[in-house]
């Protein structure tokens, strides 16, 4: 592993070139995100570093989701020049490789409207114009399964060895993440069999989304070393909890002060209430961005601590937006948690939608609805309407309708982003004629051999 992990200091092009030469690295991997939420890579020989740091590298955008519709106008540029501090060195399968995260430019050398990192960066820029620096942190939930698709253990929440067999795996994973510059807060076994969680620390919003995508990739790599597979799929196994991708959000002012702390009777500031109000108002829009799989809707049902309605509350883990408990004297850590998201789509687009919704709440001075103060699953449709509580979208059709009508998302993601999400709807079980198509639950790209847990007992 190299001595310059990602994001530890402001690096110059000269620093990167020196690191490549001193480490005698043969290749540098230029990483970028597609709009579907996958990490892509162009491997460049070390001899090209000087040129690529200045001019970038051209790639075929028509072969990457979100960048070009046809081969006639397919050239895009992956540009590492704005993200030099993402330089990192990793040892993968015994080979030492240098990596950098890039943004994508169009054939006109302007920021490409389909680059998820640029879309999130634009929302961050809006926050800064409003006087805020946004910080976020992800909770990465995933199942670890063996070669037959079965969970590697039957452990429960916070179980220890020997029931929890993934302790060495998690420790090696955190070591890999840390060396890549990710900031890990804690790890543990989650509620489902073979389910684990890695919780990151609060970092600037763009770095958090970058780390989330990088962390998911590293998780799959380390799991493969153990002969396992790791899936972040929202609901890979029925009858047990799904995989969320919860986001914690905190805003600081130009002096570094947490603007969510204090000021009102419930210890949340007025700006915090407005931010929450924005996330509640645009909850359906946010869902339409991240719910890129039929499994998303299987997860977003009452039970298993998954939110099904646009509500907020203190401590309540069934609420869409939760205010975590803060110890006396630690008010600077006051934050909000969005619990609806999952990893079926792009973490960058999801984070952009969440952050934009909260900022819109502050911008429009929205009035926060009352906190739910308990579960709402028992309420009738009429009672929900009387309280102004909206259900989250429960189908692909509902999400497509939101995407087609949302002026908020048009502003946050741009028309290119909206068009992509609508145009690729067949990928998530909805064809162009409006007919829903069956999609099996399972790991992305293959179906798990188990669709319920525990498996049925063998017949005698």
């Amino acid at each position: 592993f190299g001595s310059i992990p990602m994001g530890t200091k402001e690096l110059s092009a000269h620093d990167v070139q020196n690191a490549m030469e001193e480490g005698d690295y043969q290749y540098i991997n230029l990483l970028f995100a597609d709009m579907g939420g996958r990490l892509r890579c162009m491997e460049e020989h070390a001899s090209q570093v000087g040129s690529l740091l200045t001019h970038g590298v051209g790639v075929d955008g028509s072969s990457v989701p979100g960048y070009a519709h046809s081969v006639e106008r397919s050239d895009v540029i992956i540009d590492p020049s704005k993200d030099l501090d993402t330089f990192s060195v990793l040892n993968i399968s015994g080979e030492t490789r240098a990596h950098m995260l890039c943004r994508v430019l169009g054939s006109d050398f302007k920021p490409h409207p389909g680059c998820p990192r640029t879309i999130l960066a634009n929302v961050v820029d809006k926050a800064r114009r409003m006087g805020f620096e946004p910080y976020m942190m992800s909770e990465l939930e995933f199942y670890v399964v063996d070669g037959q698709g079965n969970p590697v253990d039957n452990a429960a929440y916070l179980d220890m060895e020997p029931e929890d067999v993934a302790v060495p795996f998690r420790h090696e994973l955190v070591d890999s993440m840390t060396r890549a510059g990710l900031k890990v807060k804690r790890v543990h076994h989650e509620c489902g069999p073979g389910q684990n969680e890695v919780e990151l620390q609060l970092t600037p919003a763009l770095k958090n989304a970058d780390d989330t995508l990088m962390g998911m990739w590293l998780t799959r790599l380390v799991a493969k070393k153990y002969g396992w597979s790791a899936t972040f799929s929202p609901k890979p196994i029925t009858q047990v909890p799904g995989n969320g991708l919860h986001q914690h959000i905190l805003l600081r002012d130009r002096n570094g002060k947490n603007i969510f702390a204090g000021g009102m009777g419930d210890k949340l500031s007025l700006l915090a209430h407005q931010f929450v109000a924005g996330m509640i108002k645009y909850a359906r829009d946010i869902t339409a961005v991240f719910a890129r799989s039929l499994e998303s809707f299987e997860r977003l049902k009452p039970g298993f601590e998954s939110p099904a309605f646009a509500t907020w509350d203190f401590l309540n883990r069934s609420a869409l937006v939760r205010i975590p408990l803060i110890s006396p004297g630690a008010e600077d850590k006051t934050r909000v948690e969005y619990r609806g998201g999952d990893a079926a789509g792009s973490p960058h687009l999801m984070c952009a939608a969440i952050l934009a919704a909260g900022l819109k709440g502050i911008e429009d001075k929205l009035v926060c609805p009352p906190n739910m103060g308990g579960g709402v699953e028992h309420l009738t449709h009429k009672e929900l309407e009387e309280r102004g509580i909206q259900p989250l979208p429960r189908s692909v059709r509902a999400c497509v309708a939101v995407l087609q009508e949302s002026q908020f998302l048009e502003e946050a993601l741009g028309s290119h982003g909206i068009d992509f999400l609508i145009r690729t709807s067949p990928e998530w079980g909805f064809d162009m004629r409006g007919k829903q198509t069956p999609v099996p639950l399972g790991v992305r790209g293959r179906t798990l051999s188990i669709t319920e847990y525990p498996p049925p007992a063998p017949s005698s």
Side-chain angles (χ1 to χ4, degrees):
F1 289 89
S3 59
I4 306 181
M6 184 171 68
T8 56
K9 57 173 286 189
E10 290 292 331
L11 298 179
S12 66
H14 182 69
D15 291 330
V16 172
Q17 287 183 278
N18 281 347
M20 290 293 294
E21 293 172 3
E22 292 172 4
D24 194 26
Y25 308 125
Q26 296 301 304
Y27 293 92
I28 183 166
N29 289 355
L30 301 182
L31 308 176
F32 64 104
D34 68 25
M35 292 200 79
R38 293 183 63 181
L39 202 58
R40 303 281 177 153
C41 172
M42 175 61 81
E43 298 176 72
E44 287 288 310
H45 193 267
S47 62
Q48 303 300 306
V49 169
S51 173
L52 66 87
L53 291 177
T54 303
H55 305 294
V57 177
V59 300
D60 174 14
S62 67
S63 298
V64 182
Y67 286 111
H69 296 315
S70 68
V71 295
E72 286 79 12
R73 294 181 60 85
S74 63
D75 287 357
V76 297
I77 307 296
I78 49 178
D79 174 25
S81 65
K82 292 183 175 60
D83 299 281
L84 298 175
D85 60 344
T86 66
F87 180 85
S88 64
V89 179
L90 296 173
N91 187 294
I92 299 171
S93 301
E95 180 185 358
T96 303
R97 308 179 195 173
H99 295 78
M100 291 185 70
L101 282 163
C102 304
R103 304 194 194 193
V104 179
L105 309 179
S107 56
D108 57 359
F109 296 94
K110 295 180 180 178
H112 196 290
C115 177
R117 298 187 70 241
T118 297
I119 290 172
L120 176 54
N122 289 341
V123 179
V124 171
D125 286 343
K126 176 181 178 178
R128 289 170 176 165
R129 291 193 298 271
M130 295 172 67
F132 311 128
E133 182 64 37
Y135 290 79
M136 301 181 76
M137 76 180 198
S138 297
E139 295 181 16
L140 283 67
E141 296 178 345
F142 55 95
Y143 277 89
V144 181
V145 298
D146 61 23
Q148 287 70 50
N150 297 310
V152 296
D153 62 37
N154 194 29
Y157 181 64
L158 301 187
D159 262 350
M160 300 171 62
E161 296 169 301
E163 289 78 16
D164 177 4
V165 306
V167 173
F169 157 76
R170 288 199 303 270
H171 291 177
E172 183 170 348
L173 173 59
V174 171
D175 183 64
S176 296
M177 288 181 169
T178 302
R179 291 178 184 273
L182 282 67
K183 297 182 181 299
V184 178
K185 183 177 182 180
R186 61 174 60 96
V187 294
H188 61 87
H189 199 286
E190 258 296 348
C191 296
Q195 189 182 32
N196 294 263
E197 178 176 308
V198 176
E199 186 174 324
L200 302 180
Q201 296 182 34
L202 279 165
T203 55
L206 180 58
K207 176 172 170 53
N208 173 71
D210 290 344
D211 288 355
T212 299
L213 203 56
M214 192 81 168
M216 292 166 64
W217 173 58
L218 290 171
T219 302
R220 291 192 290 268
L221 278 180
V222 177
K224 183 179 179 181
K225 179 179 175 181
Y226 282 72
W228 299 339
S229 294
T231 174
F232 294 85
S233 182
K235 193 75 171 180
I237 309 171
T238 61
Q239 311 306 321
V240 294
N243 289 322
L245 187 58
H246 303 169
Q247 296 295 320
H248 295 244
I249 310 101
L250 179 157
L251 298 183
R252 297 192 182 278
D253 64 18
R254 292 189 175 98
N255 297 317
K257 180 182 177 181
N258 182 349
I259 68 162
F260 285 172
M264 299 183 72
D266 55 16
K267 298 183 180 179
L268 286 178
S269 69
L270 174 61
L271 291 177
H273 280 87
Q274 293 172 343
F275 193 93
V276 170
M279 289 194 290
I280 297 300
K281 178 176 180 178
Y282 297 108
R284 294 176 62 82
D285 307 68
I286 297 169
T287 305
V289 172
F290 72 76
R292 305 292 292 162
S293 164
L294 292 184
E295 293 187 34
S296 298
F297 308 107
E298 289 296 318
R299 173 180 165 265
L300 293 176
K301 290 180 177 179
F304 300 117
E305 297 184 359
S306 293
F309 299 91
T311 60
W312 76 280
D313 207 352
F314 297 89
L315 313 183
N316 190 336
R317 293 180 185 272
S318 68
L320 177 66
V321 178
R322 185 179 80 99
I323 312 301
L325 178 66
I326 301 297
S327 301
E331 288 78 12
D332 188 59
K333 296 181 179 180
T334 301
R335 61 191 186 277
V336 300
E337 177 189 7
Y338 182 87
R339 297 179 57 81
D342 65 43
S346 165
H348 290 83
L349 296 184
M350 180 178 72
C351 289
I354 293 171
L355 180 57
L359 294 175
K360 189 70 172 170
I362 293 176
E363 190 175 44
D364 294 345
K365 295 181 171 57
L366 296 181
V367 176
C368 193
N371 61 297
M372 61 190 289
V376 299
E377 293 82 0
H378 64 283
L379 298 180
T380 66
H381 180 73
K382 182 179 180 181
E383 289 172 327
L384 290 170
E385 282 191 336
E386 289 174 348
R387 299 190 186 192
I389 297 175
Q390 285 193 323
L392 300 179
R394 295 179 179 175
S395 69
V396 178
R397 185 184 296 274
C399 285
V400 170
V402 171
L403 292 168
Q404 290 172 332
E405 300 170 1
S406 176
Q407 191 63 40
F408 160 71
L409 288 178
E410 183 88 13
E411 177 183 328
L413 306 185
S415 58
H416 184 100
I418 301 301
D419 290 345
F420 172 82
L421 293 175
I422 295 174
R423 180 165 42 82
T424 57
S425 56
E427 181 180 321
W428 36 307
F430 197 82
D431 68 23
M432 289 298 188
R433 297 163 297 180
K435 180 181 178 181
Q436 194 149 356
T437 57
V439 176
L441 301 184
V443 181
R444 181 182 297 178
R446 72 178 185 89
T447 303
L448 286 176
S449 63
I450 178 172
T451 55
E452 60 181 353
Y453 199 87
S459 58
S460 57

